[in-house]
Amino acid sequence: MTFDLAPLSGLRFSKGHGTGNDFVLVADPDGDHDIAPAAVALLCDRHRGIGGDGLIRAVRSRQLPEGAALLETNSEAEWFMDYRNGDGSLSEMCGNGVRVFVHFLIEQGLVVLEPGGELTIGTRGGVKVVARTADGYRVDMGPWEFIFPSQAKDRGMDSLVKAAGLDVDRPALSVSMGNPHSVVALADEAELAGTNLTAAPVVSPQPPHGTNVEFAVPAEPLVTDGVGHISMRVHERGVGETLSCGTGACAAAVATRFWAGDDAPDTWQVKVPGGVVGVRFFPGTDGLEHVELSGPAVIVATGVLD
Ligand SMILES: N[C@@H](CCC[C@H](N)C(=O)O)C(=O)O
């Protein structure tokens, strides 16, 4: 890839991750650096760049049209998470990224947030409230939705997924967490380990804007002490296989709970290759069922672009 990063020379960056889902982060409070998709791809390149599953730019909401629109209904969303996938494409939301984003704002001294405190931020998936906990962050990810509502209601499945390493095409359920997901249930850990995610699984029909694909194995027993357990691997739209996906974990919990029926719990733990994240369902003040995501956020390095 040939792309001139000279215009970004001198820009400070941090490198962070949430359960191994890693990001390049830059603070651009006044919106001076609208980083082009090719530059994002180069910065996220693990061999020629800094390396990351995505890039997150911290910009004041009022500096972006999407952010300014959010401020009209929620004046508290001072900061906007401008998230890009590693290939430079936009996504509406990133669940691990949102925790790392808030941690980055704190470490940069751009906000003050003590454990127990909450911060409202803007994203392309709407306004999100992030709470700092003793060991990480808890995010109200908003309501979940079926992407193909009528089909999901009838059969609990709405598409077929073909992936290398799986003998036959598998049924999937498509769930929106602001961004699209197709969740496939596998029988056991051996099947999960044998699934080859070096190439993008083929989903048919595919949600209109592409999809992230989660392969989920419900634990045996599914529920222990009132908490549901799932193991999951993910192939992310615009990235490839990642060690974790926060919105994907939420979607996997939505689908598994739907398949499990009325007695399924509201609290879930989702094990991903990079760690464990928590998912909880609760009634939102808007009358819709919301999903809460919890997990760690780590900044590992800071530097300056040459
Ligand atoms: N890893 C993220 C999701 C990032 C966006 C995704 N690749 C998409 O295109 O929707 C997460 O933690 O949610």
Side-chain angles (χ1 to χ4, degrees), residues 11-276:
L11 189 64
R12 297 190 65 77
F13 68 87
S14 293
K15 179 74 195 290
H17 76 94
T19 51
N21 194 190
D22 62 342
F23 311 100
V24 177
L25 298 113
V26 296
D28 183 21
D30 300 323
D32 297 323
H33 301 285
D34 187 4
I35 305 176
V40 172
L42 183 51
L43 291 170
C44 291
D45 188 309
R46 298 194 182 278
H47 303 286
R48 298 178 180 81
I50 299 162
D53 295 327
L55 182 139
I56 296 175
R57 182 170 67 123
V59 56
R60 286 208 166 81
S61 297
R62 64 167 186 268
Q63 304 292 351
L64 293 180
E66 308 91 303
L70 293 177
L71 285 173
E72 284 173 20
T73 49
N74 195 324
S75 60
E76 287 179 20
E78 179 187 359
W79 290 95
F80 189 90
M81 177 177 78
D82 179 17
Y83 171 83
R84 316 292 175 92
N85 285 319
D87 69 354
S89 60
L90 290 177
S91 176
E92 304 83 346
M93 191 49 198
C94 179
N96 289 322
V98 82
R99 301 193 312 273
V100 180
F101 172 73
V102 170
H103 198 53
F104 173 70
L105 291 177
I106 296 168
E107 295 239 320
Q108 292 288 304
L110 295 168
V111 303
V112 176
L113 188 66
E114 302 297 336
E118 289 187 344
L119 185 72
T120 302
I121 64 153
T123 74
R124 292 194 171 82
V127 165
K128 308 290 172 201
V129 178
V130 183
R132 189 172 187 185
T133 62
D135 54 0
Y137 296 86
R138 211 173 50 220
V139 189
D140 178 351
M141 302 286 287
W144 61 272
E145 279 182 329
F146 290 127
I147 293 176
F148 302 116
S150 57
Q151 292 170 18
K153 217 179 290 158
D154 293 346
R155 296 182 275 118
M157 304 289 184
D158 52 35
S159 49
L160 282 178
V161 171
K162 184 194 292 293
L166 290 178
D167 47 357
V168 290
D169 296 358
R170 301 302 171 103
L173 179 60
S174 307
V175 173
S176 172
M177 285 304 310
N179 60 346
H181 297 270
S182 302
V183 184
V184 178
L186 297 183
D188 52 35
E189 296 283 344
E191 208 168 47
L192 186 64
T195 307
N196 179 346
L197 298 182
T198 51
V202 179
V203 182
S204 157
Q206 183 173 253
H209 305 293
T211 193
N212 301 283
V213 187
E214 287 76 28
F215 295 87
V217 177
E220 273 296 342
L222 180 62
V223 182
T224 308
D225 295 332
V227 178
H229 293 267
I230 309 166
S231 296
M232 179 191 107
R233 284 174 63 200
V234 59
H235 187 283
E236 286 196 35
R237 180 181 66 165
V239 191
E241 183 172 15
T242 60
L243 293 181
S244 178
C245 177
T247 49
C250 295
V254 167
T256 309
R257 179 168 165 264
F258 179 68
W259 295 325
D262 291 342
D263 295 337
D266 288 335
T267 305
W268 293 79
Q269 288 216 327
V270 182
K271 184 163 142 290
V272 288
V276 177

